[in-house]
């Protein structure tokens, strides 16, 4: 038994000799290092999880930003196309506006020339017909046209369509001016008052009287004074364009008249407007 005991003790001693014997201090240090490593490992794992979550979130944000960028880029391209189209239209409109303004200026210049010609013609007629202005003759401008108004008493006996000598003298002076102004169109208008025509033979009513008086003046100007008939028109207005709506003798006298309307030819203006 003793031999066995000694043998076991020897083996145990040998075993103890073959192992590293740790001191309590080192053992505690090793435990502390193990705990520290475990804590750091847990912290690192938490950081890795957080980084993975952040990475996923950033990927989502990046995808959203990419989609927003694509949308903005598409909208930008559309706006750029719209801008190009709008810019082109603005250029076209600007060019068209400049052309219209240039044409408008040409028309305005032509109208100014017409008005100047009308004013000059009025002055010539007033000077030529000065001796008749106390006999019911007036010359004025309305809407760019020159109106020579002759009272019926200056031209015709009462109820007649035959021009008397005093009226012929006035028309001779008028024709002398018109023959020097070949670019003037001439309209001869007959006007009456509201009184009905009675017992005048071929003249049935105020329409007949106004028309026949206008044609009498037209014939005298063309056949006797050589005014180009292509420049003239003759119309009857009857009682329907009075200068005075009253019914007094003076108002009725004003309405019985021949108006010779002189218009500078507007071919230049018409051509400009058609362009």
């Amino acid at each position: 038994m003793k031999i066995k005991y000694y043998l076991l003790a020897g083996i145990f001693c040998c075993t103890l000799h073959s192992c590293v014997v740790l001191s309590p201090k080192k053992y505690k240090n090793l435990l502390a290092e193990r705990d520290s490593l475990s804590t750091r490992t847990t912290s690192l794992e938490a950081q890795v999880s957080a980084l993975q979550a952040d990475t996923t979130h950033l990927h989502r944000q990046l995808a959203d930003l990419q989609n927003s960028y694509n949308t903005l880029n598409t909208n930008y391209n559309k706006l750029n196309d719209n801008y190009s189209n709008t810019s082109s239209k603005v250029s076209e409109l600007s060019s068209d506006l400049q052309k219209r303004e240039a044409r408008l200026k040409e028309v305005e210049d032509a109208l100014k020339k017409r008005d100047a010609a009308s004013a000059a013609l009025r002055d010539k007629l007033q000077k030529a017909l000065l001796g008749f202005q106390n006999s019911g003759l007036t010359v004025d401008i309305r809407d760019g046209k020159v109106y020579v108004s002759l009272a019926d008493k200056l031209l015709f006996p009462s109820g007649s369509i035959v021009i008397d000598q005093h009226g012929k003298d006035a028309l001779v002076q008028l024709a002398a001016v018109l023959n020097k102004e070949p670019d003037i169109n001439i309209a001869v208008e007959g006007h009456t008052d509201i009184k009905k025509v009675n017992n005048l033979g071929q003249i049935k009513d105020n329409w007949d009287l106004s028309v026949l008086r206008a044609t009498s003046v037209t014939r005298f100007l063309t056949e006797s004074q050589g005014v180009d008939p292509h420049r003239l028109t003759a119309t009857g207005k009857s009682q329907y364009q009075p200068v005075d709506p009253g019914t007094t003798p003076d108002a009725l006298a004003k309405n019985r008249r021949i108006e010779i309307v002189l218009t500078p030819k507007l071919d230049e203006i018409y051509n400009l407007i058609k362009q």
Side-chain angles (χ1 to χ4, degrees):
M1 288 294 291
K2 289 181 180 181
I3 295 172
K4 186 176 181 180
Y5 175 78
Y6 287 127
L7 181 60
L8 289 171
I11 293 170
F12 179 74
C13 289
C14 289
T15 301
L16 289 174
H17 181 74
S18 64
C19 294
V20 176
V21 179
L22 296 175
S23 65
K25 184 178 180 179
K26 287 185 177 180
Y27 179 72
K28 288 180 179 180
N29 288 338
L30 286 174
L31 289 176
E33 287 181 10
R34 185 198 65 183
D35 293 340
S36 176
L37 286 172
S38 178
T39 301
R40 289 172 62 189
T41 300
T42 301
S43 176
L44 288 172
E45 288 175 349
Q47 289 181 24
V48 168
S49 296
L51 288 172
Q52 287 176 340
D54 287 344
T55 301
T56 302
H57 180 65
L58 288 173
H59 275 300
R60 286 199 207 97
Q61 285 187 322
L62 179 61
D64 291 341
L65 289 172
Q66 185 65 45
N67 289 334
S68 296
Y69 169 78
N70 291 338
T71 301
L72 288 172
N73 194 48
T74 300
N75 291 337
Y76 169 78
N77 290 333
K78 288 181 180 178
L79 287 172
N80 194 44
D81 291 341
N82 289 338
Y83 171 78
S84 299
N85 293 333
T86 301
S87 180
S88 176
K89 288 180 181 178
V90 167
S91 297
E92 291 177 6
L93 289 173
S94 178
S95 176
D96 185 56
L97 179 61
Q98 289 178 351
K99 291 178 182 177
R100 287 175 180 271
E101 287 177 343
R103 196 162 64 196
L104 177 60
K105 188 176 184 308
E106 290 178 351
V107 172
E108 288 175 342
D109 290 342
L111 288 173
K112 287 179 181 177
K113 290 179 182 178
R114 181 207 65 180
D115 292 341
S118 295
L121 178 61
R122 176 199 58 196
D123 295 342
K124 290 179 183 177
L125 289 170
Q126 285 178 335
K127 186 180 293 185
L129 300 170
L130 183 63
F132 301 94
Q133 291 182 20
N134 291 328
S135 301
L137 183 148
T138 61
V139 182
D140 62 347
I141 295 178
R142 292 176 239 156
D143 300 324
K145 302 175 183 178
V146 178
Y147 283 74
V148 180
S149 182
L150 303 101
D152 71 330
K153 65 180 181 180
L154 175 61
L155 295 172
F156 304 100
S158 179
S160 174
I161 61 173
V162 179
I163 304 171
D164 62 22
Q165 188 57 48
H166 194 47
K168 290 179 180 179
D169 293 341
L171 293 176
V172 168
Q173 297 296 323
L174 174 63
V177 175
L178 296 180
N179 283 329
K180 293 178 182 178
E181 302 288 341
D183 292 329
I184 301 295
N185 291 321
I186 307 162
V188 181
E189 298 178 353
H191 298 267
T192 69
D193 58 24
I194 59 175
K195 288 185 176 181
K196 292 183 178 180
V197 171
N198 294 313
N199 302 319
L200 292 180
Q202 67 183 48
I203 302 173
K204 297 182 178 61
D205 54 24
N206 283 331
W207 281 113
D208 276 352
L209 182 60
S210 64
V211 170
L212 292 173
R213 283 184 167 179
T215 54
S216 291
V217 171
T218 300
R219 286 194 184 93
F220 181 82
L221 292 174
T222 56
E223 296 173 4
S224 175
Q225 300 303 307
V227 178
D228 183 0
H230 295 93
R231 298 168 58 191
L232 280 90
T233 57
T235 58
K237 304 291 186 176
S238 186
Q239 65 198 43
Y240 299 106
Q241 291 187 11
V243 293
D244 190 329
T247 57
T248 65
D250 185 56
L252 296 176
K254 290 178 182 178
N255 294 331
R256 296 190 300 270
R257 68 201 188 278
I258 290 290
E259 284 193 336
I260 300 176
V261 186
L262 309 175
T263 309
K265 290 184 179 179
L266 303 178
D267 295 347
E268 180 182 1
I269 297 175
Y270 291 148
N271 290 335
L272 288 171
I273 292 173
K274 284 189 215 175
Q275 292 177 3

